[in-house]
Amino acid sequence: MAHLEILEMSLSRAEFLRLLPGAVGSVPIEEAGTFGASDGRRCWTLRLCPLADQHVGSVNLPRHRVELRLEGYSDEEAAAFMVRFHRGFLRGGG
């Protein structure tokens, strides 16, 4: 069963690429227009699409649409993957 998550994220492509390994685990990530990895039984693919910057006063926030497809994952495995994915992009404030 395939799981599809579509997210809108406020970060630059460079920042996304820096944080991605922590969000998906220490696996080799292939990039060919999309990003992805497979362990033979399960695979994930991710497409990063630039959106127009968000303007908040004098601050410009880069934005991307993230389309994440999980194949071969049970519902529980997909939920655990998404928890890790979201945790990998958390930012500390203060």
Side-chain angles (χ1 to χ4, degrees):
M1 177 175 177
H3 299 269
L4 178 64
E5 295 284 335
I6 299 175
L7 310 166
E8 186 177 305
M9 300 176 77
S10 293
L11 72 170
S12 69
R13 181 180 175 84
E15 186 176 14
F16 181 86
L17 295 176
R18 181 178 63 79
L19 296 172
L20 183 60
V24 297
S26 298
V27 297
I29 299 170
E30 300 175 17
E31 180 181 355
T34 61
F35 303 88
S38 174
D39 66 7
R41 181 178 70 87
R42 303 173 305 186
C43 70
W44 60 266
T45 55
L46 185 147
R47 197 170 95 150
L48 186 64
C49 307
L51 297 172
D53 287 357
Q54 177 74 40
H55 303 283
V56 180
S58 62
V59 176
N60 292 326
L61 300 171
R63 296 183 313 139
H64 285 85
R65 175 183 166 110
V66 177
E67 299 171 4
L68 180 58
R69 178 178 294 277
L70 306 173
E71 297 197 33
Y73 288 76
S74 68
D75 290 342
E76 294 80 17
E77 290 170 327
F81 184 99
M82 291 309 299
V83 166
R84 180 182 183 129
F85 185 82
H86 287 293
R87 189 179 317 125
F89 288 98
L90 289 178
R91 299 177 186 165

